[in-house]
Amino acid sequence: MEPITDASEPATILRPISGADALEIAVIVAIAIAAVILVERGLPPIVARLGPRVRILVLPWVPVFRLAAFLLAALLILPIVVEPRTESLIALLGAGAVAIGFAFKDYLTSILAGVIVLFERPYRQGDWVRIGDVYGEVREMGMRALRIVTPDDDVVTVPHGRIWDSVVRNANDGSPTLQCVADFHVHPDHDAARLRQALGDAALASPWVDVARPITVVVAERPWGTCYRVRAYPIAAEDQFRFASDVTVRGKGLIAELGVRPATAPLAEPMAG
């Protein structure tokens, strides 16, 4: 028979922790941390050998495993430290819900967005993206945020919650390469067909060009001059800046050789397309 307790005795939520309980909690925490470290450090080298497709599919789930491991550890520890009574559980869950709702609203919003990112895939690890005014390569994806390394070698942490109110521009969308653009603005008095061919040849002559992808030269006439936009693909996405610079230098040299004058009027508007 259970002992009768005095109704006036205050209910306690936490149980007294014995030495055995403390040891059990330490073991659970240690196993969870060890499992997370093992997956985070051991899995990337393994999937890297299986090809980029497997890496793209597997690595985004590493943060999910980390979150699941810590949640499981919390669920195992909870019965050890909390009295298994209805009043205790209701009080604990109510206090936890209020605290989480107010203190972690933005955090939970970003985690929800991170789950949606896993399925919609607006970006993946290795993609070159622009979110707001940040452009760079996605180097790491967590459940709350992603880390982008910019061309200036800055590491920018962007919460996944930015997908709710920002446009995400993905330059390669899982592909190993992406399109680069070089713009030229010249005086309208020149042989356009000849210059268009010369600028296409300049891109084709670059050592970083992917010759298997198309090279396109778009021409547009403006009141202040003629605009040429060279569109081509480097061999690898990380070569995009060297490639664009190389095409620009070669194109300027050819324009000078052909005796074409640059546009002298201020550029009143960007070239469309």
Side-chain angles (χ1 to χ4, degrees):
M1 177 180 295
E2 295 183 358
I4 299 175
T5 57
D6 186 357
S8 62
E9 182 182 351
T12 58
I13 297 178
L14 299 180
R15 296 176 54 185
I17 304 298
S18 64
D21 292 335
L23 179 61
E24 186 177 355
I25 293 173
V27 170
I28 293 173
V29 173
I31 292 176
I33 295 175
V36 169
I37 293 176
L38 180 63
V39 171
E40 288 184 339
R41 296 185 180 180
L43 190 60
I46 295 175
V47 298
R49 298 178 181 178
L50 301 178
R53 193 173 191 85
V54 176
R55 175 178 60 83
I56 290 173
L57 292 175
V58 173
L59 289 186
W61 291 97
V62 172
V64 178
F65 174 82
R66 180 171 61 239
L67 179 62
F70 289 132
L71 284 178
L72 179 60
L75 291 176
L76 294 175
I77 293 174
L78 192 62
I80 302 175
V81 299
V82 176
E83 283 286 352
R85 294 189 300 188
T86 303
E87 297 84 355
S88 300
L89 294 178
I90 292 176
L92 183 64
L93 292 176
V98 172
I100 290 175
F102 282 98
F104 298 98
K105 180 183 66 174
D106 294 336
Y107 190 88
L108 294 177
T109 298
S110 294
I111 288 181
L112 176 60
V115 174
I116 294 176
V117 165
L118 289 176
F119 294 96
E120 293 190 356
R121 295 187 179 277
Y123 43 75
R124 309 167 181 81
Q125 191 166 336
D127 284 354
W128 285 81
V129 300
R130 182 181 297 277
I131 303 177
D133 57 353
V134 178
Y135 176 74
E137 182 184 7
V138 178
R139 292 285 180 87
E140 182 181 341
M141 289 180 58
M143 282 300 299
R144 186 193 68 87
L146 68 155
R147 291 191 176 187
I148 297 176
V149 179
T150 70
D152 295 329
D153 204 28
D154 294 330
V155 179
V156 182
T157 301
V158 181
H160 292 301
R162 290 289 301 275
I163 66 173
W164 304 129
D165 54 11
S166 299
V167 175
V168 179
R169 300 179 182 271
N170 195 320
N172 58 326
D173 196 25
S175 172
T177 187
L178 49 79
Q179 187 183 88
C180 292
V181 175
D183 290 327
F184 302 90
H185 310 282
V186 298
H187 192 276
D189 185 15
H190 66 279
D191 186 343
R194 185 180 180 188
L195 181 54
R196 181 183 182 185
Q197 180 64 43
L199 292 176
D201 293 341
L204 186 60
S206 175
W208 289 285
V209 69
D210 183 358
V211 295
R213 305 295 295 272
I215 298 174
T216 306
V217 181
V218 181
V219 185
E221 194 70 19
R222 296 289 184 266
W224 41 265
T226 304
C227 302
Y228 291 84
R229 170 162 287 186
V230 182
R231 295 173 172 171
Y233 296 81
I235 297 174
E238 56 266 24
D239 296 329
Q240 57 183 292
F241 303 105
R242 289 189 292 265
F243 175 61
S245 299
D246 183 64
V247 173
T248 300
V249 172
R250 292 174 184 272
K252 287 178 64 71
L254 289 172
I255 289 173
E257 290 179 9
L258 295 175
V260 179
R261 291 176 292 164
T264 55
L267 301 182
E269 57 178 332
M271 181 180 178

